Amino acid sequence: RSYCTNHTCSTFTYLQASHLHKRSLLSSWIAQPTGYDAVCTLNTLQTNACALEQVRRERGHPQLQLQAMRGFLERAGLVVEELDHLNIIHVTGTKGKGSTCAFTEQILRSYGFRTGFYSSPHLVQVRERIRINGKPIGKELFTKYFWQVYGRLYETKDTHGGSMPAYFRFLTILAFHIFLQEKVDLAVIEVGIGGAYDCTNIIRRPWVCGIASLGIDHTSILGDTIEKIAWQKGGIFKPGVPAFTVKQPDSPMMVLKERAKEIGCPLWVCPELEEYPADSGPLRLGLAGHHQRSNASLALQLSHSWLQRRCLPGRWDTSLSSWAVGLEDTEWPGRTQTLKHGPVTYFLDGAHTTRSMLACVSWFSEVASQHERTTGSVCVVLVLLFNATGERDSAAMLKLLVPCHFDFAVFCPNITEAIASCNADQQNFNVSVENMLTRCLDNQRSWRLLNGQEEKPGDQLLISRDVLPLVAAECCSKTLVFPCILSALQWLSQGRDSVLAHPDKRVIPVKPSVTAKAAPLRDATGIHVLVAGSLHLVGGVLKHLDPSFAS
């Protein structure tokens, strides 16, 4: 084929990894397997969509699901009791659980503890999900530990009906194995989906649990009301283990309190960050956006509780001033992140629910205006780069973005680039290229309708059987659909971003009429680009904009 996308390359690597199965995975390897081999083999396990379907089937039998997880853990050479030695902080929530974990990990690392941090999803490379002392595990260690775990599971596959753990289950087992082998002092574990049925809930004795802001997401798995979702999230509570939550709406808060009482778990509500004693002046957070303040408060409570329970009382300075540096130094890429590349400024946020999009809009409106005042830009063009996947309500999220008054709305699938090389870490087995692009066209139509623009018959991307189109879909003057992230970025930056204009970047051709529409981008003193709707989209953008992610 003349192009390679996440989809087509996935087909190739699936077959490649299947051949790897037929070779010995242990001592009989002719050559040492590489990190690329590891990621390709990882991708042969059930992908996210399959894992979600498996969860749906097992929803009525959560204990069977956790029992299966224990079986996989034991086949990998671990037992549940060993996880008690990881001194775990377990965190769930709909919005903000990853940021809460990032704050918590940074605070406790600032005390000198050796930290482990397991999160999902990854932005660019799968190793981002498993961190030691705040850094993604190195390629060599990832490869070493991957084959240790995979080899043990594969060796025992035939005696267990050919079963292998799904993608997320496998990575969870791998994270536990790595944290034990690397002898971390504590592990911050972010729940994947929900809580009660999540495979991370195999943990028996965390030191403290946290619940970030609740909202509506993954309704086919967790339930279609916020009360049902709260019940699921409260499933991580453990008898006698303290738990903290940010302030929630009354009905889900009542569910959390009932769950805590039923399980025998003491539950506290975190104060607002403004309610903490300001003994060293106002707190500065490393993560932008007002909504991060509740995440920071939850992280403070989790860190304080862990120190008080795990360590001798009074041994550590737990004053707010001692935590200020940790809060300020926290980094969590792809969440309320700003990157300035010459006249082009990118505002990246992986918001993918209506509630998180509200927070994203508030942050973007404030920070973009501030940036405009600071730089003195007279003529700034606003561009939205958007995609949404799965069961997310794209139209509802786009409606919240209308008041930002974007000059252009650009849509593209989560395909990094339409050329003959791609990143195995970002492959997607779940959906065809046609379906991805159709979703983009649907999002474009929603945007046009929300902006009072008439529907135009015949707007479509013509997709040949073998070749991904390397041209944008022409519609009205203010909305375009591109076949990949790189083509969208190159069009909206118009050669004014030196990173994207690098000779190593192949220029994706577009029709002259599409190029002509970009005249305002070429003439503007500044271009502000909001990237939102999908963490996978944000990850693909970062792969092109930040060389440290690409490497």
Side-chain angles (χ1 to χ4, degrees):
R1 295 192 177 191
S2 60
Y3 76 98
C4 178
T5 68
N6 292 348
H7 174 70
T8 56
C9 188
S10 297
T11 303
F12 169 76
T13 52
Y14 182 91
L15 295 174
Q16 181 188 51
S18 295
H19 287 300
L20 293 178
H21 286 332
K22 297 175 183 177
R23 302 156 63 187
S24 171
L25 295 171
L26 301 172
S27 59
S28 61
W29 276 94
I30 296 174
Q32 184 68 26
T34 66
Y36 183 77
D37 292 329
V39 175
C40 290
T41 303
L42 172 64
N43 287 343
T44 67
L45 301 175
Q46 295 178 38
T47 53
N48 190 50
C50 299
L52 295 183
E53 180 58 35
Q54 184 179 47
V55 172
R56 290 187 192 103
R57 291 197 304 268
E58 297 174 346
R59 182 166 54 176
H61 307 282
Q63 293 307 316
L64 294 180
Q65 185 175 350
L66 294 178
Q67 183 178 341
M69 181 63 181
R70 279 191 289 271
F72 287 126
L73 195 71
E74 290 171 3
R75 283 170 54 190
L78 303 173
V79 292
V80 176
E81 289 73 16
E82 287 183 89
L83 306 185
D84 298 344
H85 303 306
L86 291 177
N87 304 314
I88 288 171
I89 297 173
H90 202 192
V91 182
T92 189
T94 305
K95 182 174 72 73
K97 64 181 185 294
S99 299
T100 297
C101 289
F103 278 126
T104 304
E105 185 276 333
Q106 178 67 59
I107 289 170
L108 293 173
R109 178 156 44 96
S110 69
Y111 278 87
F113 293 108
R114 181 172 173 80
T115 62
F117 178 13
Y118 177 58
S119 64
S120 61
H122 60 276
L123 293 175
V124 179
Q125 300 191 31
V126 70
R127 295 181 292 107
E128 299 166 32
R129 296 181 182 228
I130 304 172
R131 296 172 181 258
I132 303 291
N133 281 338
K135 301 294 184 184
I137 186 170
K139 290 181 180 178
E140 290 185 3
L141 281 181
F142 178 83
T143 303
K144 168 188 168 182
Y145 289 130
F146 175 90
W147 291 113
Q148 284 179 3
V149 173
Y150 188 88
R152 292 167 185 168
L153 288 164
Y154 192 80
E155 276 188 322
T156 57
K157 179 167 72 85
D158 291 340
T159 57
H160 290 82
S163 65
M164 290 288 286
Y167 186 92
F168 185 76
R169 279 181 177 176
F170 178 88
L171 285 172
T172 303
I173 295 168
L174 180 61
F176 289 147
H177 176 67
I178 289 173
F179 294 155
L180 287 166
Q181 292 298 311
E182 291 296 306
K183 296 179 170 56
V184 299
D185 296 316
L186 68 119
V188 180
I189 305 295
E190 178 189 355
V191 167
I193 296 175
Y197 306 159
D198 189 73
C199 63
T200 65
N201 206 31
I202 195 173
I203 298 164
R204 301 186 316 157
R205 296 175 182 170
W207 284 90
V208 62
C209 298
I211 297 185
S213 179
L214 297 180
I216 302 294
D217 198 14
H218 298 296
T219 53
S220 62
I221 296 172
L222 305 180
D224 56 2
T225 69
I226 197 168
E227 293 79 13
K228 292 177 182 178
I229 291 171
W231 189 93
Q232 295 277 353
K233 304 291 184 181
I236 70 167
F237 294 157
K238 300 294 184 296
V241 175
F244 296 86
T245 178
V246 301
K247 291 182 179 178
Q248 310 282 2
D250 290 343
S251 56
M253 181 64 80
M254 183 63 65
V255 174
L256 290 179
K257 289 179 178 178
E258 290 173 354
R259 282 286 262 165
K261 183 178 180 181
E262 168 193 330
I263 293 171
C265 161
L267 176 65
W268 288 277
V269 179
C270 299
E272 299 288 345
L273 203 59
E274 291 75 15
E275 297 176 32
Y276 289 83
D279 52 356
S280 58
L283 289 171
R284 294 182 177 86
L285 305 183
L287 305 184
H290 188 269
H291 60 286
Q292 294 291 357
R293 300 184 71 79
S294 63
N295 299 331
S297 177
L298 178 55
L300 288 174
Q301 296 299 323
L302 295 173
S303 301
H304 180 266
S305 178
W306 188 89
L307 284 168
Q308 291 296 307
R309 298 191 73 232
R310 178 67 183 85
C311 306
L312 293 175
R315 179 180 176 184
W316 302 98
D317 179 8
T318 57
S319 64
L320 193 60
S321 59
S322 68
W323 291 331
V325 174
L327 290 174
E328 189 170 358
D329 289 348
T330 299
E331 296 180 355
W332 196 226
R335 288 81 169 176
T336 59
Q337 180 181 6
T338 303
L339 289 176
K340 182 169 172 55
H341 287 196
V344 187
T345 305
Y346 302 91
F347 303 88
L348 301 99
D349 190 64
H352 54 271
T353 67
T354 52
R355 191 167 181 184
S356 60
M357 191 60 73
L358 270 173
C360 173
V361 168
S362 174
W363 162 73
F364 172 70
S365 300
E366 180 181 348
V367 71
S369 298
Q370 184 180 24
H371 186 83
E372 196 171 331
R373 291 192 301 269
T374 303
T375 58
S377 299
V378 179
C379 177
V380 175
V381 173
L382 299 181
V383 182
L384 170 66
L385 179 57
F386 181 91
N387 189 39
T389 60
E391 60 188 27
R392 270 84 192 206
D393 190 343
S394 302
M397 287 191 283
L398 289 170
K399 185 176 181 179
L400 298 173
L401 290 161
V402 170
C404 294
H405 302 294
F406 291 99
D407 298 293
F408 293 97
V410 177
F411 303 91
C412 69
N414 296 339
I415 298 173
T416 54
E417 51 193 306
I419 60 175
S421 64
C422 68
N423 186 351
D425 298 73
Q426 294 182 304
Q427 289 161 6
N428 180 3
F429 291 0
N430 304 330
V431 61
S432 68
V433 175
E434 288 89 343
N435 287 341
M436 286 190 280
L437 289 170
T438 298
R439 180 69 180 267
C440 292
L441 290 168
D442 290 340
N443 292 338
Q444 182 192 47
R445 293 188 187 101
S446 295
W447 181 259
R448 290 170 57 186
L449 291 172
L450 288 166
N451 283 273
Q453 299 166 1
E454 292 183 5
E455 184 76 16
K456 289 186 177 182
D459 289 343
Q460 59 180 333
L461 276 177
L462 299 177
I463 304 167
S464 68
R465 183 177 62 182
D466 292 323
V467 181
L468 182 69
L470 299 182
V471 296
E474 288 195 71
C475 296
C476 70
S477 61
K478 292 194 174 186
T479 68
L480 298 97
V481 174
F482 287 87
C484 68
I485 294 170
L486 180 59
S487 60
L489 289 174
Q490 288 179 336
W491 181 85
L492 62 85
S493 63
Q494 286 298 298
R496 304 180 70 184
D497 181 341
S498 59
V499 174
L500 293 173
H502 194 276
D504 291 343
K505 294 282 187 185
R506 178 187 173 187
V507 177
I508 308 296
V510 296
K511 292 180 180 178
S513 57
V514 175
T515 302
K517 292 179 180 180
L521 295 165
R522 293 189 290 272
D523 298 336
T525 57
I527 302 171
H528 287 180
V529 184
L530 174 63
V531 183
S534 166
L535 269 172
H536 300 289
L537 172 66
V538 169
V541 169
L542 281 172
K543 178 179 183 292
H544 291 299
L545 299 182
D546 189 338
S548 66
F549 275 95
S551 63

